[in-house]
Amino acid sequence: MTPETARPFIDIHAPVAEALASGKPVVALESTIITHGMPYPQNSEMAANVEKIIREEGAVPATIAVIDGRLKVGLSDAEREALAKTTGTMKLSRADLAFAVAQDRTGGTTVAGTMIAAQLAGIRVFATGGIGGVHKGAEKSFDISADLDELARTPVIVVSAGAKAILDIEKTLEVLETRGVPVVAHGSDIMPAFWSRISPYAAPLRLDAAADIAAFFRTRQALGIEGGMLVANPVPAADEIPVETMAGYIDAAQRDAEAQGVSGKSVTPFLLARILELTNGASLKTNIALVENNARLAAKIAKAL
Ligand code: PSU
Ligand code: MN
């Protein structure tokens, strides 16, 4: 599965290699959420828990990261824990994944970076929290996440809770449509908004069963239609923060980012950290709950595939 030229740079963790060889379901997990998305020790607890949930569902987790220049597909507990504690790591997307490998650096992989690694390893399902997308004010800043282009080109199913509500969800949906990325809401007619179960926007497509999502993906591949697919899985009702409550915090965080001149790769981590402060940690609790919820669904899709 892995291209010959890529092999010297990739370490596939033994349980993941074994699962792939014997056709068992594998779910990829990103690591920017560990290195840039949550503080220690919650990042470490979340990462361990999500792996546990995937195993409980009968699939094998593969947390992906670059450690000292090695592209790791699946981490040992010790490696995952060390990564969660390491500060000053890179945030690796399509543009800089190979830079980190060539320069022996360490970094968390974004949705785009993780999709590339998953594809290289032959993993077709990936669970995360929220994808990057079109930022509010993108008509001025041009800040559009590389995650969207990756979804358009790399054949991996990404299970998310939608686009982070710090983004312009409407424009994000427009770009996904233009680039031919199917957006499938799981069990809902409405596009979720990460911390909240609903956004003001209709979901482009809806499927209720993991098996149907797997069948849709297989059909797409059979028809020779390239690229990935975004599954938007609403956060469980018990864990959600209502849209109206989040709106004020998001606006405040946005204003702080502008006032402090935050730009580029730092925007998403800055907003997440600021919202965590503003909500007194409630946003983090919801973030963890939705990632766990996505891991569960991703494992079911991987099994159905
Ligand atoms: N979801 C989270 N926390 C995060 C991210 C997603 O709950 O930190 C990360 C993902 O790795 C995503 C990245 O790919 O943020 C998007 O960053 P940017 O907007 O710079 O492309
Ligand atoms: Mn960006």
Side-chain angles (χ1 to χ4, degrees), residues 91 133 135 142-146 263-268:
K91 176 179 161 188
H135 278 266
F142 273 52
D143 190 349
I144 301 175
S145 176
S263 67
K265 278 173 157 321
S266 309
V267 173
T268 301

PDB file of all heavy atoms in Angstrom, residues 91 133 135 142-146 263-268, ligand 2:
ATOM      1  N   LYS A  91       3.261  22.783  13.530  1.00  0.00           N
ATOM      2  CA  LYS A  91       1.901  22.415  13.125  1.00  0.00           C
ATOM      3  C   LYS A  91       1.985  22.069  11.643  1.00  0.00           C
ATOM      4  O   LYS A  91       2.274  22.946  10.824  1.00  0.00           O
ATOM      5  CB  LYS A  91       0.970  23.607  13.389  1.00  0.00           C
ATOM      6  CG  LYS A  91      -0.461  23.412  12.933  1.00  0.00           C
ATOM      7  CD  LYS A  91      -1.288  24.653  13.285  1.00  0.00           C
ATOM      8  CE  LYS A  91      -2.559  24.697  12.464  1.00  0.00           C
ATOM      9  NZ  LYS A  91      -3.294  25.966  12.632  1.00  0.00           N
ATOM     10  N   GLY A 133     -11.179  25.625   7.934  1.00  0.00           N
ATOM     11  CA  GLY A 133     -12.044  26.035   6.830  1.00  0.00           C
ATOM     12  C   GLY A 133     -11.782  27.475   6.446  1.00  0.00           C
ATOM     13  O   GLY A 133     -10.660  27.973   6.580  1.00  0.00           O
ATOM     14  N   HIS A 135     -11.888  31.172   7.188  1.00  0.00           N
ATOM     15  CA  HIS A 135     -11.997  32.015   8.382  1.00  0.00           C
ATOM     16  C   HIS A 135     -12.919  33.191   8.143  1.00  0.00           C
ATOM     17  O   HIS A 135     -13.080  33.646   7.002  1.00  0.00           O
ATOM     18  CB  HIS A 135     -10.614  32.508   8.823  1.00  0.00           C
ATOM     19  CG  HIS A 135      -9.879  31.497   9.641  1.00  0.00           C
ATOM     20  ND1 HIS A 135      -9.899  31.482  11.010  1.00  0.00           N
ATOM     21  CD2 HIS A 135      -9.150  30.424   9.262  1.00  0.00           C
ATOM     22  CE1 HIS A 135      -9.199  30.454  11.442  1.00  0.00           C
ATOM     23  NE2 HIS A 135      -8.729  29.791  10.411  1.00  0.00           N
ATOM     24  N   PHE A 142      -7.615  36.249   3.273  1.00  0.00           N
ATOM     25  CA  PHE A 142      -7.371  35.076   2.411  1.00  0.00           C
ATOM     26  C   PHE A 142      -7.088  33.829   3.243  1.00  0.00           C
ATOM     27  O   PHE A 142      -6.485  32.877   2.757  1.00  0.00           O
ATOM     28  CB  PHE A 142      -6.210  35.321   1.426  1.00  0.00           C
ATOM     29  CG  PHE A 142      -6.640  35.972   0.142  1.00  0.00           C
ATOM     30  CD1 PHE A 142      -7.396  37.129   0.144  1.00  0.00           C
ATOM     31  CD2 PHE A 142      -6.277  35.427  -1.082  1.00  0.00           C
ATOM     32  CE1 PHE A 142      -7.787  37.729  -1.044  1.00  0.00           C
ATOM     33  CE2 PHE A 142      -6.667  36.011  -2.274  1.00  0.00           C
ATOM     34  CZ  PHE A 142      -7.426  37.173  -2.254  1.00  0.00           C
ATOM     35  N   ASP A 143      -7.480  33.792   4.517  1.00  0.00           N
ATOM     36  CA  ASP A 143      -7.162  32.654   5.378  1.00  0.00           C
ATOM     37  C   ASP A 143      -8.170  31.525   5.164  1.00  0.00           C
ATOM     38  O   ASP A 143      -9.270  31.539   5.719  1.00  0.00           O
ATOM     39  CB  ASP A 143      -7.135  33.103   6.850  1.00  0.00           C
ATOM     40  CG  ASP A 143      -6.586  32.027   7.774  1.00  0.00           C
ATOM     41  OD1 ASP A 143      -6.419  30.885   7.317  1.00  0.00           O
ATOM     42  OD2 ASP A 143      -6.324  32.339   8.949  1.00  0.00           O
ATOM     43  N   ILE A 144      -7.781  30.592   4.332  1.00  0.00           N
ATOM     44  CA  ILE A 144      -8.600  29.406   4.054  1.00  0.00           C
ATOM     45  C   ILE A 144      -7.727  28.190   4.317  1.00  0.00           C
ATOM     46  O   ILE A 144      -6.633  28.080   3.768  1.00  0.00           O
ATOM     47  CB  ILE A 144      -9.103  29.397   2.587  1.00  0.00           C
ATOM     48  CG1 ILE A 144      -9.935  30.665   2.313  1.00  0.00           C
ATOM     49  CG2 ILE A 144      -9.914  28.138   2.301  1.00  0.00           C
ATOM     50  CD1 ILE A 144     -10.380  30.811   0.874  1.00  0.00           C
ATOM     51  N   SER A 145      -8.210  27.296   5.167  1.00  0.00           N
ATOM     52  CA  SER A 145      -7.393  26.154   5.585  1.00  0.00           C
ATOM     53  C   SER A 145      -7.072  25.220   4.423  1.00  0.00           C
ATOM     54  O   SER A 145      -7.921  24.945   3.570  1.00  0.00           O
ATOM     55  CB  SER A 145      -8.119  25.370   6.664  1.00  0.00           C
ATOM     56  OG  SER A 145      -7.370  24.216   7.006  1.00  0.00           O
ATOM     57  N   ALA A 146      -5.849  24.700   4.465  1.00  0.00           N
ATOM     58  CA  ALA A 146      -5.434  23.688   3.489  1.00  0.00           C
ATOM     59  C   ALA A 146      -6.228  22.392   3.663  1.00  0.00           C
ATOM     60  O   ALA A 146      -6.195  21.528   2.787  1.00  0.00           O
ATOM     61  CB  ALA A 146      -3.942  23.412   3.626  1.00  0.00           C
ATOM     62  N   SER A 263      -2.011  36.068  13.105  1.00  0.00           N
ATOM     63  CA  SER A 263      -2.293  35.709  11.712  1.00  0.00           C
ATOM     64  C   SER A 263      -1.755  34.326  11.385  1.00  0.00           C
ATOM     65  O   SER A 263      -1.052  33.706  12.179  1.00  0.00           O
ATOM     66  CB  SER A 263      -1.678  36.748  10.769  1.00  0.00           C
ATOM     67  OG  SER A 263      -0.267  36.659  10.860  1.00  0.00           O
ATOM     68  N   GLY A 264      -2.105  33.859  10.199  1.00  0.00           N
ATOM     69  CA  GLY A 264      -1.574  32.602   9.661  1.00  0.00           C
ATOM     70  C   GLY A 264      -1.911  31.403  10.527  1.00  0.00           C
ATOM     71  O   GLY A 264      -3.015  31.272  11.033  1.00  0.00           O
ATOM     72  N   LYS A 265      -0.938  30.515  10.696  1.00  0.00           N
ATOM     73  CA  LYS A 265      -1.113  29.267  11.415  1.00  0.00           C
ATOM     74  C   LYS A 265      -1.519  29.464  12.873  1.00  0.00           C
ATOM     75  O   LYS A 265      -2.017  28.542  13.511  1.00  0.00           O
ATOM     76  CB  LYS A 265       0.223  28.525  11.450  1.00  0.00           C
ATOM     77  CG  LYS A 265       0.549  27.744  10.228  1.00  0.00           C
ATOM     78  CD  LYS A 265       1.960  27.249  10.424  1.00  0.00           C
ATOM     79  CE  LYS A 265       2.313  26.037   9.623  1.00  0.00           C
ATOM     80  NZ  LYS A 265       1.407  24.978   9.425  1.00  0.00           N
ATOM     81  N   SER A 266      -1.241  30.624  13.421  1.00  0.00           N
ATOM     82  CA  SER A 266      -1.496  30.848  14.845  1.00  0.00           C
ATOM     83  C   SER A 266      -2.953  31.162  15.134  1.00  0.00           C
ATOM     84  O   SER A 266      -3.372  31.121  16.289  1.00  0.00           O
ATOM     85  CB  SER A 266      -0.636  32.017  15.347  1.00  0.00           C
ATOM     86  OG  SER A 266       0.693  31.808  14.974  1.00  0.00           O
ATOM     87  N   VAL A 267      -3.723  31.487  14.092  1.00  0.00           N
ATOM     88  CA  VAL A 267      -5.092  31.956  14.324  1.00  0.00           C
ATOM     89  C   VAL A 267      -5.940  30.899  15.045  1.00  0.00           C
ATOM     90  O   VAL A 267      -6.530  31.171  16.093  1.00  0.00           O
ATOM     91  CB  VAL A 267      -5.776  32.380  12.994  1.00  0.00           C
ATOM     92  CG1 VAL A 267      -7.236  32.699  13.218  1.00  0.00           C
ATOM     93  CG2 VAL A 267      -5.064  33.600  12.406  1.00  0.00           C
ATOM     94  N   THR A 268      -5.980  29.673  14.494  1.00  0.00           N
ATOM     95  CA  THR A 268      -6.833  28.639  15.092  1.00  0.00           C
ATOM     96  C   THR A 268      -6.426  28.329  16.539  1.00  0.00           C
ATOM     97  O   THR A 268      -7.277  28.361  17.440  1.00  0.00           O
ATOM     98  CB  THR A 268      -6.865  27.374  14.207  1.00  0.00           C
ATOM     99  OG1 THR A 268      -7.375  27.746  12.914  1.00  0.00           O
ATOM    100  CG2 THR A 268      -7.763  26.298  14.784  1.00  0.00           C
TER     101      THR A 268
HETATM  102 MN    MN B   2      -5.241  29.233   8.251  1.00  0.00          MN
END
